[in-house]
Amino acid sequence: MLNTLTLSRIQFALNISFHILFPAITIALAWLLFYFKLRYQLSGHPVWMRIYRFWVKLFALTFALGVVTGITMSFQFGTNWPGFMETVGNIAGPLLGYEVLTAFFLEATFLGIMLFGIHRVPTWLHTLATLLVAVGTSLSAFWIIALNSWMQTPAGYAMEQGVAVPLDWWEIIFNPSMPYRLTHVLLASGLTACFFVAGVSAYRLRHGDVKQAPRKALRVALVAAALLAPLQMFVGDLHGLNTLAHQPQKIAAMEGIWHTEKGAPLLLFAWPDEATQTNHLSLGVPKLASLILTHNPNGELKGLSSFSERPPVKPVFFGFRIMVAVGVLMLLVAWAGVWFGRGARTLPGWLTGSLVAMTFSGWVATLAGWYVTEIGRQPWLVSGVLKTADAVTTIAPANVSLSLSVYGLVYAGLLVAYVHTVFYMARKAVAVEEYETDDTATPVQITRAEGVSA
């Protein structure tokens, strides 16, 4: 049987992997909802309200699962990782508390108006509530990423009797990797939400939905994704340079560099062998890794053998390539969608089919990138402060195995139910008869009789 440390790590990975799926959608979907609502308010065209009313239901479903699965995350600190709070609780506790006091309270307060107040409050107030929910989701990401970044690049603290004590909250929150990581995560959420909207909209079109709403939603999602994808690559490069400066061993694992070398190649594929510290079946572009990371084709990159402590190489190496490959695919598909859909043209069948297949492609890229970040920090839980092995609980492996099994079963059931519900709602929307108009000058009141109420 696996030991308590390994089982606890698997359990935490399972919990955070399942939880992160839902905020990855809702953070950016909330901003898309605000855009849809604003377009309706400015133009008065009912199609924008129909888009809003359909997507706000999926937002509510996704948001609810994100909240529920987030609660179990906090349990983990007490049940499996008591050493974490004992050592860095003076910093982690307030940051998590700020997230609840600011972001969660803001979301909880205005989410009710957003979901149930459309016929009960003035339009401007409902639009404002939608905006504040979007602000709240981003604010939540801000605090969580502040804590995670501090665990990667801790700053503004002192150790007193083995406990981290805050000295400068500005330095703690805006630690060296925080701005890059936050921007990278928010853009990742943008791409995840755009492909979610594009995939479900394409699904409706392929099932015979001839209304304007799915076509307009698809176009908005593709244009946004086409803009966000290259921006994400630029920010990802900056994030990589920041990681090279503060966590060079993580970069060495990502690039599969075993020994310090000048003019290091960019490996497109390889099979890292930790026993012999070599790569098998390697296929790379000469000098490109040095050029990207040092802006010099003959620049020197430190190898893994230079570090006394280093992360597991295979998951970091392959996770990075999966993230990049999915990101490039998203860029190509988004640009193809904008090109083939220009001038309100109908997208070819192969492209709508690709979009349906990529409905949850953002999840793949997000999880792969998250694993690179978290596994690349090992063996530290908080870099240079607390090792993962020193924070784990002492309870028996059998107890962790039991809770891990229960989590796995529950999450598998929830994931199947969630995906099924998303496409069920899409098929149901296809059958709804709606009043269509191209008149953008006259505001039209949407009523429940038109079958578009939440």
Side-chain angles (χ1 to χ4, degrees), residues 174-202:
F174 295 98
N175 58 79
S177 66
M178 189 271 187
Y180 302 94
R181 199 180 312 279
L182 177 64
T183 309
H184 198 47
V185 167
L186 292 179
L187 289 172
S189 173
L191 284 167
T192 302
C194 285
F195 271 83
F196 180 59
V197 172
V200 174
S201 299

Side-chain angles (χ1 to χ4, degrees), residues 104-379:
F104 189 71
F105 281 5
L106 185 65
E107 292 170 299
T109 301
F110 289 96
L111 184 65
I113 298 175
M114 178 180 168
L115 296 180
F116 306 110
I118 196 165
H119 297 295
R120 297 177 175 84
V121 299
T123 301
W124 67 265
L125 180 56
H126 185 264
T127 303
L128 178 63
T130 305
L131 171 63
L132 292 176
V133 169
V135 171
T137 59
S138 298
L139 197 56
S140 178
F142 173 87
W143 291 115
I144 296 301
I145 295 302
L147 172 57
N148 183 267
S149 297
W150 185 83
M151 292 166 65
Q152 305 278 345
T153 53
Y157 74 101
M159 296 301 293
E160 295 182 5
Q161 299 180 339
V163 175
V165 177
L167 296 180
D168 187 328
W169 280 104
W170 182 267
E171 287 190 13
I172 290 171
I173 294 170
F174 295 98
N175 58 79
S177 66
M178 189 271 187
Y180 302 94
R181 199 180 312 279
L182 177 64
T183 309
H184 198 47
V185 167
L186 292 179
L187 289 172
S189 173
L191 284 167
T192 302
C194 285
F195 271 83
F196 180 59
V197 172
V200 174
S201 299
Y203 180 83
R204 288 176 59 177
L205 294 176
R206 289 177 66 86
H207 280 72
D209 196 333
V210 296
K211 296 186 288 293
Q212 292 185 60
R215 295 199 302 272
K216 283 189 175 292
L218 176 58
R219 181 171 177 76
V220 169
L222 287 175
V223 170
L227 295 173
L228 292 177
L231 183 60
Q232 175 70 310
M233 292 183 177
F234 174 70
V235 171
D237 179 61
L238 296 179
H239 189 21
L241 296 177
N242 177 266
T243 305
L244 177 65
H246 297 281
Q247 296 176 295
Q249 68 278 21
K250 184 188 292 185
I251 287 291
M254 289 163 63
E255 300 297 342
I257 301 173
W258 292 100
H259 306 288
T260 301
E261 60 181 305
K262 295 181 179 178
L266 179 69
L267 296 177
L268 303 177
F269 179 81
W271 188 262
D273 186 337
E274 302 208 28
T276 61
Q277 296 194 5
T278 56
N279 296 318
H280 302 295
L281 305 172
S282 59
L283 174 65
V285 180
K287 299 181 183 294
L288 189 54
S290 287
L291 179 62
I292 292 173
L293 291 167
T294 67
H295 297 170
N296 179 352
N298 296 310
E300 181 178 280
L301 294 177
K302 282 189 174 181
L304 289 160
S305 60
S306 303
F307 304 98
S308 58
E309 293 172 324
R310 63 195 191 205
V313 178
K314 281 192 181 75
V316 178
F317 181 85
F318 288 116
F320 177 67
R321 275 147 191 79
I322 292 171
M323 177 189 70
V324 172
V326 175
V328 171
L329 183 60
M330 294 170 93
L331 171 69
L332 296 176
V333 171
W335 282 6
V338 172
W339 172 257
F340 284 105
R342 68 190 187 282
R345 290 178 172 84
T346 301
L347 295 182
W350 65 266
L351 188 52
T352 55
S354 299
L355 288 168
V356 173
M358 293 180 68
T359 301
F360 298 106
S361 56
W363 283 359
V364 179
T366 299
L367 287 178
W370 193 256
Y371 293 154
V372 171
T373 295
E374 301 308 303
I375 298 175
R377 188 188 54 211
Q378 299 301 321

Side-chain angles (χ1 to χ4, degrees), residues 371-439:
Y371 293 154
V372 171
T373 295
E374 301 308 303
I375 298 175
R377 188 188 54 211
Q378 299 301 321
W380 296 97
L381 185 53
V382 180
S383 298
V385 176
L386 176 66
K387 286 191 173 180
T388 306
D390 296 332
V392 74
T393 180
T394 57
I395 61 177
N399 294 346
V400 185
S401 297
L402 178 61
S403 58
L404 173 60
S405 302
V406 173
Y407 277 127
L409 290 172
V410 172
Y411 288 163
L414 285 176
L415 187 60
V416 171
Y418 174 76
V419 174
H420 173 78
T421 303
V422 166
F423 288 106
Y424 169 77
M425 292 172 71
R427 290 192 298 274
K428 189 177 177 183
V430 173
V432 172
E433 293 293 336
E434 290 181 342
Y435 170 69
E436 292 287 357
T437 178
D438 291 324
D439 180 10

